[in-house]
Amino acid sequence: LPRHLAMALSRELTESSLPAIGEAFGGRDHATVLYACHKIQKERQKDGKIKKVLEELLGRFKQGL
């Protein structure tokens, strides 16, 4: 879950391609990154705790930018 969250955040906060994000996470395939993003999006909709964590992290990162 933490890696999936990190991949989804990377996708949302950067303009990096799926292959570039996968490479940054230890040579993962672009399909792995896409799967992680879709999984987190589904979890975000049904689990309030994950939604809150994501919103908090996004807020922190965007303030630092």
Side-chain angles (χ1 to χ4, degrees):
L1 183 62
R3 183 176 60 236
H4 287 171
L5 284 169
M7 286 180 175
L9 287 170
S10 296
R11 181 72 171 147
E12 193 164 334
L13 293 171
T14 70
E15 294 182 12
S16 297
S17 66
L18 295 174
I21 294 170
E23 188 62 34
F25 281 89
R28 301 285 199 271
D29 188 70
H30 76 280
T32 303
V33 179
L34 189 59
Y35 171 79
C37 293
H38 284 256
K39 180 179 178 180
I40 293 301
Q41 186 175 16
K42 285 181 186 178
E43 290 295 320
R44 183 186 220 171
Q45 292 174 351
K46 68 180 189 177
D47 188 342
K49 187 176 179 180
I50 289 179
K51 181 179 180 177
K52 183 179 177 182
V53 166
L54 275 171
E55 288 174 358
E56 188 175 311
L57 288 171
L58 283 169
R60 287 184 184 185
F61 283 123
K62 287 181 179 179
Q63 284 178 352
L65 297 177

